[in-house]
Amino acid sequence: SMSAEEDYDCVVIGAGVQGSFTAYQLAKHNKKTLLLEQFILPHTRGSSHGQTRIIRKAYEQDIYTQMMGEGYQLWAQLEKEAGVTLYQTGLLVMGPETSGEYPLVKNTLLKNKVPTVILSRDNFHQHIPNMVLSEGHGALLDETAGVLFADRALKAVQLGGVIRDNEKVMEIKPGSVVKVTTSGGAYQARNVVITAGPWTNKLLAHTGIQLPLEQTVKINVCYWKEKIPGTYGVKQRFPCFVVTGSLESKEHIYGLPSNEYPDLVKICYHMGSKTDPDYRDLQTDTSDIDILKRYVSRCIPGLVPEPAVVESCMYTLTPDRHFVLDYHPNYSNIVIGAGFSHGFKFGPVIGKLLCELSLGEVPSFDLSPFKIRRFQSEMKSAL
C-alpha cells in the first residue's frame, strides 16, 4: 500500500546557499517548507562549501551591482540575527586599463556611486605592498567589498525550517500538486523550487526539459603559503583581489587574504574543466594551477609559488554566464534557480527572488536577464 505523502506548501530541492536562503525566506512568509538535500550536511560535493567567499559590488553589469546593494542589507540583517561575520577588506580590481572588463567595472562602480578609490602607478605600492601591478594595467579598490564566512552563514540560515538531508530525489511528478519522491520518503507540495547546482539537469529530466548548463566545471581552490607569515593577512588590511585578465590568462584570477588557514592565501582561477559532479575526483586536469603558479611567481612575490593545499568546488555555467531565475516553461508552480558560477554573495537576494516567484509575487528586481527563454535555440537541441 502507498504510504501517505507528507504535505507542504513548498519543497525546495538542494540545500546549498541558494536553496537554503529560499527555504529561509519561504519560512519567514509562514509557508510550510521542506528543504531536501541528497548528501549528509555539511558536505563538500557542490558549490557552497568552504569557509570564505568574496562579497563585492564590482561587476560590469548594473543589475549585479544593484542586486548587491540589497545583498549587503540582507547580509547585515543576517549578521544581527545569526552572528555571521563580514570582514570589510575592500576588493582590489586590476586589469588592462583600456580593454576588456576593467574599464566596464570601473564605469559601473562610479556610475552607481559605490565608494571606490582609483589607484595610480605611483601610489599603488603605498596601498598594496608586496604585489606587482602589471604593465598597462589599471587598479581600483571597491571599498565596500570584503570576505563572507560562507559555512557559518549557511549553517545559520539552515536553522530555520525543516531540512531532510541524505535524501536523494528519485522522481518529480508535475501537476497542480507536485509529487516528489526521495530515497527516504514521499512528499507533495503546491510549489517546488529546484536549486540543485550541478545536479539541476538530472532533476529537470523528470519534468521534460534540459537547460544548457552544459558546463559543470571543477575549480581547483588553491591555497598558497606566505614566505613571511601575515604578509597578506586580513590584519595587515590586505584586500581581496580580482585580475580581469593577465599575461597568464584571459579568465579572472581572484584571491582572498590569509585568514581561514593561518599563513595561507586563497587564489583561484575562475574556470575549470568539465566534470560529472558524481565523479568529481576523476577530473585531474591541473592546467589552471600551472597558470596560477606563473601569475603568483610574477606578481605576488611574498608567496611560495606552489600551492600548499588544493581543494575543489563545482561551478555550473550557462552559455552567457548569467543566472537562471525563472518559472519552468511548462509548469508555473515549479521555479528554477541555476547557473551560479558567482552566486554565493547573492544568496540572500536570490533566496528572496525565488521565494517571490514561488509565491507568485512581482519580483523585487527585473529578472529579464535571467529568463530561460533566452536559451531557446540551445534548448531545442538539448531536448
Side-chain angles (χ1 to χ4, degrees):
S1 68
M2 278 296 288
S3 60
E5 283 128 351
E6 282 183 47
D7 253 325
Y8 287 90
D9 294 324
C10 191
V11 170
V12 179
I13 304 172
V17 65
Q18 316 300 352
S20 298
F21 270 109
T22 303
Y24 173 79
Q25 286 286 346
L26 285 160
K28 275 193 150 175
H29 285 78
N30 298 318
K31 296 294 168 197
K32 188 182 173 194
T33 304
L34 173 66
L35 180 56
L36 290 172
E37 169 53 53
Q38 63 176 325
F39 301 118
I40 293 172
L41 289 168
H43 68 81
T44 59
R45 298 286 299 272
S47 316
S48 295
H49 60 284
Q51 292 178 342
T52 53
R53 290 291 190 286
I54 295 175
I55 182 168
R56 62 183 162 116
K57 289 186 185 174
Y59 270 95
E60 309 104 282
Q61 295 90 358
D62 283 331
I63 179 76
Y64 290 124
T65 302
Q66 288 155 8
M67 282 169 80
M68 277 316 297
E70 177 157 8
Y72 274 85
Q73 289 166 7
L74 294 171
W75 280 114
Q77 196 181 319
L78 201 71
E79 272 191 280
K80 284 195 197 75
E81 285 173 23
V84 177
T85 324
L86 292 185
Y87 271 98
Q88 209 163 349
T89 60
L91 171 76
L92 172 66
V93 182
M94 298 171 287
E97 188 140 25
T98 53
S99 66
E101 278 177 53
Y102 176 81
L104 299 171
V105 170
K106 180 174 164 181
N107 180 30
T108 303
L109 285 171
L110 296 175
K111 186 168 67 178
N112 288 283
K113 299 189 169 43
V114 177
T116 304
V117 177
I118 311 292
L119 301 178
S120 68
R121 276 221 159 263
D122 302 331
N123 69 10
F124 182 81
H125 284 288
Q126 273 160 261
H127 284 272
I128 317 287
N130 308 306
M131 191 147 188
V132 175
L133 180 63
S134 304
E135 206 46 56
H137 279 210
L140 61 80
L141 274 165
D142 164 358
E143 292 187 297
T144 63
V147 176
L148 283 171
F149 280 99
D151 49 7
R152 284 185 221 168
L154 205 53
K155 278 194 198 84
V157 176
Q158 287 169 345
L159 294 174
V162 182
I163 300 192
R164 302 268 164 88
D165 61 355
N166 204 19
E167 286 205 21
K168 187 175 181 177
V169 171
M170 311 309 264
E171 192 172 7
I172 300 172
K173 272 218 173 91
S176 58
V177 171
V178 186
K179 292 188 192 306
V180 178
T181 311
T182 71
S183 53
Y187 310 99
Q188 52 184 30
R190 277 170 283 297
N191 291 284
V192 166
V193 179
I194 296 175
T195 46
W199 290 271
T200 299
N201 272 335
K202 293 187 182 183
L203 290 176
L204 289 176
H206 299 291
T207 70
I209 66 161
Q210 291 289 276
L211 294 176
L213 301 171
E214 67 286 330
Q215 282 205 287
T216 303
V217 299
K218 173 174 141 178
I219 305 295
N220 287 309
V221 179
C222 300
Y223 294 85
W224 309 74
K225 196 158 185 53
E226 295 170 320
K227 292 174 183 172
I228 299 167
T231 311
Y232 301 99
V234 169
K235 292 193 177 68
Q236 260 58 40
R237 313 227 9 101
F238 187 75
C240 299
F241 69 85
V242 172
V243 187
T244 60
S246 62
L247 281 176
E248 292 75 16
S249 108
K250 287 186 183 60
E251 290 287 344
H252 284 190
I253 291 170
Y254 63 91
L256 291 85
S258 60
N259 196 356
E260 49 182 323
Y261 293 124
D263 315 333
L264 292 178
V265 177
K266 174 170 161 177
I267 302 175
C268 310
Y269 183 65
H270 197 57
M271 199 45 184
S273 303
K274 211 169 156 173
T275 307
D276 180 326
D278 289 316
Y279 300 97
R280 185 184 75 184
D281 295 338
L282 296 180
Q283 178 51 266
T284 55
D285 181 16
T286 56
S287 54
D288 55 340
I289 298 179
D290 298 333
I291 289 167
L292 291 171
K293 282 183 193 171
R294 293 201 295 276
Y295 179 76
V296 167
S297 64
R298 183 172 69 86
C299 293
I300 316 179
L303 295 178
V304 179
E306 180 73 46
V309 179
V310 179
E311 296 170 349
S312 43
C313 186
M314 301 295 294
Y315 281 4
T316 315
L317 295 166
T318 59
D320 61 10
R321 301 209 182 171
H322 297 310
F323 310 146
V324 170
L325 304 169
D326 201 0
Y327 296 101
H328 188 293
N330 310 329
Y331 307 105
S332 60
N333 61 346
I334 298 178
V335 169
I336 302 164
F340 303 110
S341 54
H342 57 105
F344 200 102
K345 65 188 87 63
F346 292 97
V349 185
I350 285 163
K352 187 177 168 190
L353 289 163
L354 293 173
C355 171
E356 288 165 348
L357 289 175
S358 184
L359 298 175
E361 294 174 1
V362 177
S364 0
F365 286 93
D366 168 22
L367 296 186
S368 51
F370 309 118
K371 292 222 182 292
I372 288 171
R373 62 165 176 262
R374 71 187 196 268
F375 301 132
Q376 254 155 352
S377 56
E378 288 104 327
M379 282 180 64
K380 286 199 181 73
S381 58
L383 281 181

